[in-house]
């Protein structure tokens, strides 16, 4: 399938829904950014993604990466695409200008990441994994470390990884075994094995900078005893040139369900030379400084899956004919009607569209908070950080789960053709399945949201957001055109607080009540969050249509602008009519309690 970047909708979300111009005007470092500049970056990214990345998406999946005695070769075309990606400046978008970056905000780089990732998610993993390593060094590295590594990483000459997971320790990093022994020269000998390391080894860059979690001798047990280290593939000489090969090597690459063109590596550290970054025994704290932004990156994969599935499904549904419409012949010139006229197919298309466009609004909304955390004044940044902390697990889990649902619908719309590889729908299912797992599974995100963020803040973080929704509902309660949406959103916004209080009370009696409710609580939160954004998009669209009618702007009506805004309103109405009611199932499951989950003894599961 040939991907086409949805630039009009991206611009709608950035400039009309979220008012990018006002947003950047409030941040000193970004106040000169204007709509034309932003659009130019999006258009350049779209051109590159459509002409270079999309054509090697399927071939990359078929060819995959190859492994030979520690060396990994990426699929045909990837190396050339990466060189062009770097030449165009995409690797350096939001890096600090002091170290070779362009200094653009996260809200722009997130939009560019959406374009790149939807065109070719496997490719986007390579530069994407560098961002976490770069941010770690930016925030916690010494001046010497920044000078040594950042410029070449920012320009894409070198890449980076995050080496966290071990075979016995997935998300429970407190039990990692990798050791760091001090050397006489102030460095450390890193010994251990890490698994599931994306882009741990490849042929795209001349050096790979690994950020590694390890334990110092006599470190405290658990997460309080983890330190963070820089471990380069090739050591770096004082003049910045590459020195000898470090004792870190790829032991194998995984044979995976999807994202086959992205190398997922087992990395062996055999007393590799590493350099402490950040304070001793505070590695996990350092790592979490960029985790919210990393999880936004994973949420983008869910959005990308929905968008890719929608584009492919829409094209196929307009072309494929089968039977006649139940309500009468729609295309008499054909032997049968296109399947887009059948309600069941429309339900899938509109679900994909609602999740893609709603997910885009949520990702871009979060990305603006990330801008404020990075560059805003203290009071602004504190509130933005709390909003980011609350909404990130919702975005990561909800958008990846709905993205997987949309991808499955893509196969369903195509029927038997969706099950074979040349159409791209089955690859989309395989590629996006991992998004529900890495950066913390849906279940872990749910516990983070409910236990840590909501109950852990005594409801303060939730109240920040529900107050925003409440104010929005009050502003539009007299608008009959969105009256049903506002009424539903008002009711669910209150119910959100009520459910939270009830779970909190039950949790004081038995903590399992929190764990049992967490996933359904996250889905309820996701549907309400997207509901707020869809209602807001509808009000913006109505306002635009009102202006067009007042000015009798026939030109815009004819060039599709009227149709664009009208479609936005109709999709919002579909969301509230057909998708928002799903919340009731999750409420019922929450209200059923935890007893049925915990009643069976472990031995009884075998019967």
């Amino acid at each position: 399938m040939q991907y086409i970047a949805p630039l009009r909708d991206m611009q709608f979300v950035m400039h009309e829904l979220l008012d990018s111009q006002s947003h950047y005007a409030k941040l000193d470092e970004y106040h000169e950014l204007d709509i034309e500049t932003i659009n130019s970056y999006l258009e350049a990214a779209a051109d590159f993604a459509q002409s270079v990345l999309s054509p090697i998406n399927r071939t990359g999946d078929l060819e995959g990466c190859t492994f030979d005695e520690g060396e990994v070769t990426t699929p045909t075309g990837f190396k050339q695409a990466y060189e062009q990606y770097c030449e165009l400046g995409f690797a350096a978008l939001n890096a600090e200008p002091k170290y070779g970056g362009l200094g653009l905000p996260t809200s722009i780089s997130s939009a560019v990441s959406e374009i790149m990732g939807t065109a070719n998610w496997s490719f986007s993993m390579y530069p994407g994994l560098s961002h976490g390593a770069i941010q770690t060094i930016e925030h916690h590295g010494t001046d010497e470390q920044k000078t040594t590594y950042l410029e070449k990483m920012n320009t894409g000459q070198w890449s980076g990884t995050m080496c966290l997971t071990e075979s016995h320790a997935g998300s429970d990093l407190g039990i990692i075994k990798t050791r760091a022994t001090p050397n006489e020269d102030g460095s450390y000998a890193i010994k251990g094995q890490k698994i599931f390391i994306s882009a741990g080894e490849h042929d795209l860059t001349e050096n790979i900078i690994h950020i590694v979690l390890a334990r110092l001798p006599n470190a405290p047990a658990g997460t309080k005893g983890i330190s963070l280290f820089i471990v380069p593939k090739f050591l770096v000489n004082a003049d910045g040139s590459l020195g000898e090969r470090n004792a870190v090597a790829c032991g194998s690459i995984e044979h995976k369900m999807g994202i086959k063109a992205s190398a997922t590596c087992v990395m062996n550290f055999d007393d590799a030379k590493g350099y402490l970054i950040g304070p001793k025994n505070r590695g996990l704290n350092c790592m979490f400084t960029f985790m919210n932004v990393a999880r936004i990156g994973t949420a983008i994969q869910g959005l990308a899956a929905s968008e890719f599935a929608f584009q492919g499904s829409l094209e196929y549904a307009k072309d494929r004919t089968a039977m006649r419409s139940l309500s009468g012949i729609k295309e008499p010139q054909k032997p049968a009607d296109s399947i887009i006229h059948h309600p069941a197919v429309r339900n899938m298309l509109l679900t994909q569209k609602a999740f893609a466009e709603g997910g885009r609004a949520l990702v871009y909304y979060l990305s603006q908070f990330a801008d404020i955390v990075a560059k805003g004044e203290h009071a602004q940044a504190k509130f933005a950080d709390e909003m980011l902390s609350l909404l990130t697990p919702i975005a990561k889990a909800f958008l990846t789960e709905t993205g997987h649902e949309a991808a499955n619908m893509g196969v369903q719309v195509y029927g038997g053709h969706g099950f074979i590889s040349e159409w791209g729908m089955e690859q989309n299912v395989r590629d996006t399945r991992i998004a529900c797992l890495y950066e913390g599974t849906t279940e872990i995100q749910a516990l983070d949201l409910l236990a840590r963020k909501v109950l852990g803040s005594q409801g303060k973080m939730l109240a920040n957001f529900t107050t925003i929704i409440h104010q929005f509902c009050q502003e539009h309660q007299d608008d009959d055109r969105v009256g049903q949406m506002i009424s539903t959103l008002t009711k669910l916004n209150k119910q959100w607080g009520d459910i939270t209080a009830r779970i909190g009370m039950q949790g004081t009696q038995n903590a399992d009540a929190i764990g049992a409710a967490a996933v359904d609580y996250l889905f309820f939160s996701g549907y309400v969050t997207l509901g707020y954004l869809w209602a807001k998009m509808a009000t913006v669209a109505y306002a635009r249509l009102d202006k067009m009618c007042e000015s009798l702007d026939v030109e815009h009506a004819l060039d599709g602008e009227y149709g664009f805004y009208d479609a936005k309103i109709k999709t919002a109405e579909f969301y509230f009519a057909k998708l928002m009611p799903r919340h009731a199932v999750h409420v019922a499951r929450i209200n059923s309690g935890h007893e049925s989950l915990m009643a069976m003894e472990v031995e009884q599961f075998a019967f």
Side-chain angles (χ1 to χ4, degrees):
M1 190 197 90
Q2 174 61 51
Y3 164 72
I4 304 297
L7 291 177
R8 180 65 188 90
D9 195 62
M10 297 174 79
Q11 292 162 356
F12 167 80
V13 174
M14 294 184 79
H15 308 320
E16 298 176 66
L17 177 70
L18 300 177
D19 192 2
S20 60
Q21 202 74 72
S22 295
H23 167 68
Y24 296 130
K26 296 173 185 175
L27 301 170
D28 289 344
E29 292 197 31
Y30 304 140
H31 74 277
E32 293 183 356
L33 275 173
D34 56 37
I35 290 175
E36 289 72 24
T37 301
I38 297 165
N39 287 347
S40 69
Y41 281 107
L42 299 184
E43 289 161 6
D47 181 65
F48 173 73
Q50 291 163 186
S51 61
V52 178
L53 296 186
S54 184
I56 60 173
N57 184 39
R58 181 168 177 254
T59 57
D61 178 65
L62 292 173
E63 186 177 333
C65 293
T66 56
F67 176 80
D68 183 26
E69 297 184 356
E71 301 293 325
V72 173
T73 304
T74 54
T76 303
F78 271 53
K79 190 172 179 63
Q80 294 81 359
Y82 183 77
E83 290 172 356
Q84 189 173 347
Y85 175 91
C86 295
E87 288 169 2
L88 291 169
F90 292 123
L93 279 183
N94 65 337
E96 295 291 339
K98 180 180 179 181
Y99 298 106
L102 298 179
L104 293 173
T106 297
S107 51
I108 293 179
S109 62
S110 289
V112 170
S113 293
E114 182 205 333
I115 293 172
M116 304 295 185
T118 313
N120 191 325
W121 189 263
S122 285
F123 176 89
S124 73
M125 294 283 287
Y126 291 99
L129 267 296
S130 292
H131 294 161
I134 290 169
Q135 288 184 356
T136 302
I137 297 172
E138 278 183 353
H139 284 84
H140 304 290
T142 64
D143 289 341
E144 181 182 359
Q145 289 170 341
K146 293 176 183 179
T147 300
T148 301
Y149 300 107
L150 283 182
E151 184 167 350
K152 290 182 178 178
M153 292 179 75
N154 285 334
T155 59
Q157 186 176 347
W158 297 352
S159 62
T161 73
M162 301 301 298
C163 295
L164 316 178
T165 305
E166 299 181 8
S167 59
H168 61 285
S171 296
D172 187 1
L173 295 173
I175 57 175
I176 66 168
K177 295 179 180 178
T178 300
R179 298 291 172 181
T181 304
N183 294 322
E184 291 183 0
D185 63 358
S187 66
Y188 294 82
I190 311 299
K191 190 173 187 63
Q193 185 182 81
K194 300 290 184 177
I195 67 167
F196 299 160
I197 308 305
S198 298
E201 176 62 33
H202 54 78
D203 60 351
L204 303 183
T205 61
E206 64 182 25
N207 202 6
I208 302 173
I209 311 304
H210 303 288
I211 304 297
V212 184
L213 285 180
R215 289 188 179 282
L216 292 166
N218 303 314
T223 57
K224 294 181 179 179
I226 300 174
S227 298
L228 204 57
F229 300 86
I230 298 173
V231 184
K233 175 181 175 179
F234 287 94
L235 298 175
V236 182
N237 297 321
D239 63 359
S241 64
L242 294 184
E244 64 181 17
R245 175 73 184 257
N246 205 355
V248 52
C250 178
S252 63
I253 59 175
E254 304 295 349
H255 303 283
K256 302 171 296 186
M257 176 180 178
I259 55 170
K260 293 184 177 183
S262 171
T264 303
C265 304
V266 173
M267 301 301 299
N268 297 316
F269 298 84
D270 189 14
D271 288 330
K273 181 168 285 193
Y275 307 92
L276 182 70
I277 178 169
K280 294 180 180 179
N281 303 324
R282 299 284 290 174
L284 212 55
N285 303 75
C286 294
M287 188 187 73
F288 272 103
T289 58
F290 66 85
M291 194 55 73
N292 279 337
V293 174
R295 286 173 176 164
I296 292 174
T298 308
I300 290 172
Q301 186 176 2
L303 154 59
S306 293
E307 178 64 37
F308 188 92
F310 173 63
Q311 287 194 18
S313 298
L314 179 61
E315 181 180 1
Y316 188 81
K318 290 192 294 186
D319 182 64
R320 175 73 169 181
T321 57
M323 302 176 290
R324 289 298 186 185
S325 167
L326 295 174
S327 57
I329 295 173
K330 298 296 189 292
E331 297 170 301
Q333 75 279 13
K334 296 180 180 179
D337 290 326
S338 300
I339 63 173
I340 196 170
H341 297 291
H342 300 315
V345 173
R346 287 205 166 208
N347 181 64
M348 290 186 282
L349 291 172
L350 282 165
T351 298
Q352 292 169 329
K353 182 177 175 66
F355 285 148
E357 295 177 11
R360 181 170 299 116
L362 178 53
V363 165
Y364 293 10
Y365 184 53
L366 282 181
S367 298
Q368 285 196 348
F369 286 123
D371 292 346
I372 298 169
V373 169
K375 302 298 180 182
E377 297 177 359
H378 178 71
Q380 280 182 308
K382 184 176 184 300
F383 178 80
D385 190 50
E386 290 178 354
M387 288 291 290
L388 202 58
S389 294
L390 174 79
L391 294 175
T392 295
I394 297 174
K396 191 280 176 188
F398 187 74
L399 295 189
T400 56
E401 291 286 352
T402 54
H404 188 239
E405 178 183 349
N408 278 318
M409 286 181 172
V411 173
Q412 194 74 9
V413 169
Y414 277 75
H417 290 286
F419 197 66
I420 57 179
S421 61
E422 57 257 41
W423 297 93
M425 293 298 105
E426 62 87 31
Q427 181 187 339
N428 192 30
V429 173
R430 290 186 288 103
D431 283 352
T432 196
R433 186 63 186 89
I434 186 61
C436 302
L437 305 176
Y438 54 22
E439 296 294 345
T441 65
T442 298
E443 292 74 18
I444 287 174
Q445 298 297 327
L447 273 176
D448 179 49
L449 171 67
L450 178 56
R452 213 165 148 255
K453 305 298 175 53
V454 176
L455 298 179
S457 68
Q458 287 78 50
K460 181 179 182 296
M461 286 188 184
L462 178 62
N464 287 343
F465 188 41
T466 55
T467 298
I468 291 172
I469 297 175
H470 176 71
Q471 291 171 345
F472 168 77
C473 289
Q474 283 194 317
E475 289 170 11
H476 297 279
Q477 63 183 349
D478 296 326
D479 187 342
D480 292 338
R481 297 176 299 183
V482 292
Q484 189 59 52
M485 297 183 206
I486 297 300
S487 174
T488 299
L489 191 57
T490 300
K491 182 186 76 172
L492 294 183
N493 194 42
K494 180 180 182 302
Q495 190 175 21
W496 201 352
D498 294 341
I499 290 171
T500 302
R502 186 160 62 250
I503 295 171
M505 289 292 293
Q506 293 169 347
T508 61
Q509 304 298 316
N510 189 325
D512 281 337
I514 296 172
V519 172
D520 288 294
Y521 183 88
L522 185 142
F523 273 96
F524 176 91
S525 303
Y527 283 113
V528 176
T529 299
L530 248 63
Y532 161 66
L533 291 167
W534 267 115
K536 192 170 183 179
M537 284 190 277
T539 62
V540 172
Y542 270 122
R544 294 289 187 254
L545 289 180
D546 288 345
K547 284 188 177 180
M548 289 174 65
C549 292
E550 288 172 7
S551 62
L552 297 177
D553 195 344
V554 178
E555 181 182 348
H556 279 88
L558 292 177
D559 72 11
E561 286 294 279
Y562 184 95
F564 174 84
Y565 293 119
D566 189 51
K568 190 65 68 177
I569 293 164
K570 288 173 179 173
T571 308
E573 291 170 345
F574 168 83
Y575 182 86
F576 275 86
K578 297 294 187 181
L579 297 179
M580 188 66 103
R582 293 182 180 186
H583 83 275
V585 174
H586 297 292
V587 172
R589 286 169 55 89
I590 291 170
N591 290 343
S592 70
H594 69 282
E595 292 79 9
S596 64
L597 287 176
M598 310 308 295
M600 191 180 292
E601 297 296 330
V602 172
E603 294 77 10
Q604 291 180 285
F605 277 85
F607 296 141

